[in-house]
Amino acid sequence: MKNALKGAVVLAVAATLTLAGCSDPGAGGGSSEPADWPAQDADLSGTSLTIWAAQNSNTVPDSVIAGFEELTGAEVEVVTIPDPYEQGVQTKVATGDKPDLAFWQPTASQLTALNAPSNLQPLDDAPWLDSYDPALRDITGLLDDTRYAALISTPAVEGVYYNKKVLADAGITELPTDWDSFIQTGRDLKAKGVTPFYEMGGDRWATQWWVQVQLADAAADGLWDRVNAGEETFTDPTIQGAIDTYDGLIQEGLFNSDIKTATFEDQGDALLAGDAAFVVQVGSFFGQLQAKADTAELNENIGFFPIAPSGNVGTFIPDQSNALVAFKTGDAAKEAGARQLLSYWLGDGYQDFVDDQATVSLQPDVTTPDSVPDALIASSDALADSVGSMQALAIANPDLYIFLADMIQGTKTPVEVAEATQAQFAELAKAQGAPGF
Amino acid sequence: MVPARTGTTASERHPIVTTNLGLSRGAARLEGIRTTGTRRRARQDHPLWFLVPALIVLIVFFFVPTVFNFVYAFTDWSSFKSAINFVGFDNFVTLLNSGTLLTALRVTLVYAVLVAIFQNLFGLLLALLLERDTAVNRAVRVAFFVPVIMSALAVGYIFQALLKPDGALNGILSAVSGTTVDTAWLGDTTWTIVVVALIHSWKWMGLSMLIYLAGLKTIDQDMLEAARLDGAGYWATFFRIKFPLLAPAVTFNVATALLGSMNGFDVVQATTEGGPGGTTELLNIFIFRTFGQGLFAQATTMSLILFLVVAILAFPVIRFLRKREDVL
């Protein structure tokens, strides 16, 4: 046994020494030369490309892939990474596993989380950039002035989805024009026995929108730059105040009575059924509504308006289904193939794509199909003058929504929510080596 | 896993090699069994190099990852940059200063204790109910063992669906009681941890049952007959004879349930994801969340702390349980 023990010790020491010289297996390969952009129809026979997608985005590329495979002879495979998607992808990339392309939230914080400069291909001179609506071209996808993500659909906007019939029945004809009138409308509805607001405390993730829309004006004024620099914190009056207000509204009884357990699905059902008047949500909520009702019914019943303290200003939050990133895999042919697929997607394949997905076009030359519901167009119209969300502008994305859900459950006070969020933000910022942390 | 003990003399009943469920050193000593003196023969029968294949597997899949776990805890490994630098005890200081780690540890301990109690209680009850070898009992034993081989995540999602406010359980309760029941079984900040511990125990009680059954089988029928002749009823037989003789099975079951559920993750992740309000956030869920944020070194530090806590807990618990076996 003694010899075996000795052997084990030797191996352990060897392992430790190997580790001492360790490097991150996720560190990128590939060159930093400016990329050339192959023609959209260049022959790719024998080349196979892999796209990572989440459960809610894995059918998004269908029409594009079909067109691209026919045009170029390439083989494109979509691999679904189980939810939570972002964690799964980050873990795989950290251990050296990379696809050619992946759906990815094109915000600075999420690009940082993938270590974009070493893992992703820069897309600075992409041929499709000039086709974008100029107001949307540079809205997101950039990290330190380098473009790493290709936006394929309009980013989600945080705002208010409302049931038109509930408002009409309550005699409300004017939509709220700013935060105060929005809350006042809620109180009026409550007085008439209608549940004004619906929140999904059980599924947690939407809790943060109520806080973020209140911060829109501050965000326009550079709030997140100050937070990023460590000059302002979540516990300072601006963000703490928004959390306190949200808590106050819940305590006031303006939300659904099952706020602690309600789920995302419940929220959609409640708004469609008219059990509540307003839901503060993002684009994926409308996707949920589309799964439950057809365009005509949605146009008749559901509307959207952006909201901020100062007026009808939206807060945009691109998500994973809005954009793709191309990885540096070290295989020049595949890297070029990935760029070519993106060129096709946002080039000759784009009209098919927006028609197939019934989504709003980002390019003035490509028409939005008639099948797109009004509320989605309203949400997209709000985009041009919207401000960035925490996810879009902060360097890190702390679990604010979990802490807010804890507050709804009663296990955290509003002050503890801000403290926990700040502590996590500081830890993430420190890990990134951000100055000031 | 259970030593056969069907012979009549002490040395036949108790093989010299002690196993997990075999005798403790103390018990062996009490019965006057020599536990040494077989070295030379063993060395000839089983040359040391026979160990090499197993040792390689052990080192590659268990030893090296554990060493990695120790090393990375002292670095700043994250998803944000390629370089990995040593930072000393920085991660430990940050973690210990934040209350979240202690909260998660407390939740984990409560969960582990609840699972250990429920799983053993259910397992023992099932074993006693299904002790006789009838055809029905054999079939029912298989039925109760099925959850053990099911995927823990699948079990979690099934229960999540059953326990929803508009789920099947409330539907049945409503039908039986005649009033609408819409209890959120997984939405209570005090009791949900008990519910998820029950689900975990439900999944694993078949294994405990099996081990208790095996333990019951080893009990000498003569002894039970003697007790019967002395006029002992069912409960007296159970408490004075069966339960004390089940000590090795109790040791194994309690230790594996307690220490195994310290590492619990899947059932809770599938049912509550640590909610409501963080009241079921086990340390492993906290680790998963931290890892998902890209803070790999911090997550590694936490898993090192979990490893240490489990190790610190394991020694006294197993020592205490083995001590109980000395009466055998």
Side-chain angles (χ1 to χ4, degrees):
Chain A
M1 201 60 208
K2 268 187 185 157
N3 280 334
L5 277 178
K6 263 185 208 163
V9 170
V10 168
L11 271 167
V13 170
T16 317
L17 288 177
T18 322
L19 274 170
C22 63
S23 69
D24 186 346
S31 66
S32 53
E33 299 278 306
D36 59 323
W37 291 89
Q40 292 179 35
D41 58 355
D43 183 50
L44 283 175
S45 302
T47 306
S48 62
L49 298 172
T50 307
I51 302 178
W52 282 357
Q55 273 151 355
N56 71 352
S57 57
N58 58 8
T59 58
V60 170
D62 284 353
S63 71
V64 176
I65 289 174
F68 188 69
E69 285 182 337
E70 197 183 316
L71 188 68
T72 64
E75 267 182 52
V76 183
E77 190 197 0
V78 176
V79 177
T80 307
I81 307 292
D83 284 333
Y85 178 73
E86 281 77 9
Q87 301 189 0
V89 171
Q90 266 176 278
T91 310
K92 279 175 178 289
V93 171
T95 50
D97 190 7
K98 288 179 205 166
D100 298 298
L101 292 158
F103 281 89
W104 196 250
Q105 187 176 315
T107 58
S109 62
Q110 286 301 91
L111 291 171
T112 308
L114 271 190
N115 193 6
S118 63
N119 286 327
L120 301 181
Q121 297 190 46
L123 307 173
D124 282 329
D125 319 306
W128 64 80
L129 293 179
D130 292 334
S131 321
Y132 278 141
D133 178 343
L136 303 179
R137 179 188 148 134
D138 296 328
I139 194 167
T140 187
L142 300 153
L143 177 65
D144 299 332
D145 295 330
T146 305
R147 185 182 305 271
Y148 290 106
L151 198 62
I152 55 162
S153 55
T154 49
V157 176
E158 294 163 18
V160 185
Y161 289 90
Y162 63 96
N163 187 305
K164 294 177 182 172
K165 199 165 168 295
V166 171
L167 294 195
D169 288 351
I172 293 164
T173 49
E174 296 281 307
L175 286 178
T177 51
D178 58 21
W179 178 260
D180 290 336
S181 62
F182 173 51
I183 299 303
Q184 189 52 50
T185 311
R187 290 187 176 125
D188 295 346
L189 285 165
K190 164 115 177 144
K192 288 176 180 157
V194 177
T195 303
F197 309 132
Y198 200 100
E199 185 59 283
M200 41 172 263
D203 274 351
R204 307 191 294 193
W205 54 265
T207 53
Q208 55 182 322
W209 313 142
W210 273 88
V211 171
Q212 293 215 27
V213 295
Q214 292 181 63
L215 298 173
D217 301 308
D221 190 36
L223 167 72
W224 298 112
D225 291 338
R226 295 193 295 278
V227 171
N228 288 343
E231 293 160 8
E232 188 168 344
T233 68
F234 285 78
T235 52
D236 283 338
T238 309
I239 305 177
Q240 181 73 65
I243 297 170
D244 292 345
T245 305
Y246 180 38
D247 188 48
L249 296 172
I250 297 171
Q251 304 301 336
E252 202 181 322
L254 295 175
F255 284 86
N256 46 313
S257 56
D258 60 348
I259 182 169
K260 290 186 182 182
T261 55
T263 61
F264 179 53
E265 208 178 333
D266 297 338
Q267 197 180 32
D269 293 346
L271 191 70
L272 276 175
D275 294 338
F278 298 119
V279 164
V280 175
Q281 259 288 13
V282 292
S284 57
F285 176 71
F286 199 72
Q288 172 72 13
L289 297 183
Q290 282 177 298
K292 299 263 180 177
D294 59 29
T295 301
E297 189 186 339
L298 291 174
N299 283 345
E300 196 185 323
N301 285 335
I302 307 294
F304 172 88
F305 60 89
I307 200 77
S310 65
N312 291 118
V313 180
T315 302
F316 76 86
I317 171 164
D319 75 18
Q320 149 272 126
S321 66
N322 294 133
L324 282 100
V325 291
F327 281 83
K328 285 181 190 167
T329 55
D331 180 335
K334 285 191 171 206
E335 286 182 11
R339 291 196 298 276
Q340 187 180 333
L341 176 54
L342 288 178
S343 299
Y344 172 77
W345 196 321
L346 289 153
D348 296 343
Y350 197 60
Q351 183 72 59
D352 277 351
F353 170 71
V354 293
D355 290 346
D356 180 65
Q357 288 291 310
T359 189
V360 180
S361 165
L362 294 168
Q363 301 180 359
D365 293 344
V366 172
T367 50
T368 299
D370 296 334
S371 50
V372 177
D374 296 346
L376 202 56
I377 296 174
S379 148
S380 163
D381 288 344
L383 199 58
D385 62 351
S386 61
V387 288
S389 59
M390 173 177 82
Q391 281 80 358
L393 299 179
I395 50 173
N397 180 13
D399 293 327
L400 173 63
Y401 70 99
I402 294 182
F403 305 133
L404 286 170
D406 288 355
M407 179 182 84
I408 292 173
Q409 300 291 348
T411 55
K412 275 196 173 62
T413 63
V415 172
E416 286 167 348
V417 170
E419 284 169 358
T421 314
Q422 179 61 33
Q424 201 188 19
F425 182 86
E427 200 173 13
L428 287 162
K430 188 182 159 199
Q432 292 172 16
F437 290 93
Chain B
M1 276 186 283
V2 181
R5 280 194 260 150
T6 48
T8 45
T9 66
S11 56
E12 268 174 22
R13 269 192 283 120
H14 306 304
I16 286 167
V17 179
T18 58
T19 68
N20 250 352
L21 282 178
L23 290 175
S24 69
R25 288 236 172 84
R29 204 167 45 238
L30 277 175
E31 299 219 5
I33 298 167
R34 286 187 311 136
T35 52
T36 51
T38 54
R39 280 184 75 124
R40 185 177 302 152
R41 217 185 64 209
R43 210 175 285 170
Q44 284 159 0
D45 289 352
H46 318 292
L48 205 52
W49 59 267
F50 275 21
L51 267 179
V52 168
L55 204 62
I56 288 174
V57 171
L58 188 75
I59 286 172
V60 170
F61 292 106
F62 293 94
F63 198 76
V64 171
T66 311
V67 172
F68 268 76
N69 198 354
F70 275 79
V71 174
Y72 279 132
F74 296 92
T75 68
D76 64 352
W77 182 33
S78 76
S79 72
F80 306 113
K81 51 184 186 286
S82 305
I84 299 177
N85 308 305
F86 281 93
V87 292
F89 284 90
D90 214 22
N91 295 328
F92 291 87
V93 173
T94 322
L95 260 181
L96 293 175
N97 283 339
S98 96
T100 326
L101 177 77
L102 287 176
T103 317
L105 263 181
R106 193 172 50 79
V107 172
T108 310
L109 272 173
V110 171
Y111 181 72
V113 170
L114 286 174
V115 168
I117 293 171
F118 292 144
Q119 189 182 322
N120 282 285
L121 200 65
F122 299 159
L124 188 57
L125 283 174
L126 285 175
L128 291 170
L129 281 172
L130 306 174
E131 191 182 348
R132 287 178 51 216
D133 278 326
T134 63
V136 174
N137 279 1
R138 286 207 183 97
V140 176
R141 281 179 207 162
V142 171
F144 278 109
F145 194 74
V146 167
V148 177
I149 52 174
M150 278 168 73
S151 143
L153 283 175
V155 168
Y157 287 121
I158 291 169
F159 271 97
Q160 194 216 25
L162 286 176
L163 299 177
K164 277 197 296 199
D166 57 351
L169 180 66
N170 283 340
I172 294 169
L173 290 177
S174 302
V176 171
S177 67
T179 55
T180 312
V181 179
D182 57 354
T183 313
W185 298 98
L186 296 172
D188 191 287
T189 48
T190 312
W191 296 106
T192 296
I193 189 158
V194 180
V195 177
V196 288
L198 280 169
I199 298 171
H200 190 124
S201 313
W202 175 86
K203 187 191 178 322
W204 290 104
M205 66 185 180
L207 187 67
S208 299
M209 171 193 75
L210 210 64
I211 290 159
Y212 281 126
L213 273 175
L216 288 169
K217 291 265 174 254
T218 63
I219 296 175
D220 205 332
Q221 288 301 320
D222 296 350
M223 209 184 304
L224 295 174
E225 198 184 337
R228 216 166 24 245
L229 290 176
D230 284 345
Y234 181 84
W235 291 111
T237 315
F238 174 72
F239 282 111
R240 290 168 186 250
I241 298 176
K242 286 185 179 172
F243 191 68
L245 286 174
L246 279 175
V250 172
T251 304
F252 180 81
N253 272 338
V254 171
T256 50
L258 188 74
L259 304 175
S261 55
M262 290 285 291
N263 283 311
F265 172 74
D266 32 27
V267 170
V268 183
Q269 176 69 17
T271 46
T272 64
E273 291 179 73
T279 50
T280 59
E281 188 165 85
L282 303 182
L283 195 57
N284 265 340
I285 292 184
F286 185 37
I287 290 171
F288 176 70
R289 191 152 66 79
T290 309
F291 201 89
Q293 282 275 7
L295 297 171
F296 303 148
Q298 282 84 341
T300 312
T301 311
M302 287 180 212
S303 72
L304 177 59
I305 290 177
L306 180 64
F307 172 84
L308 293 175
V309 170
V310 172
I312 290 168
L313 201 69
F315 285 108
V317 166
I318 292 176
R319 199 185 147 69
F320 168 74
L321 291 168
R322 294 290 273 179
K323 204 85 187 148
R324 289 181 63 242
E325 295 173 27
D326 287 353
V327 300
L328 287 182

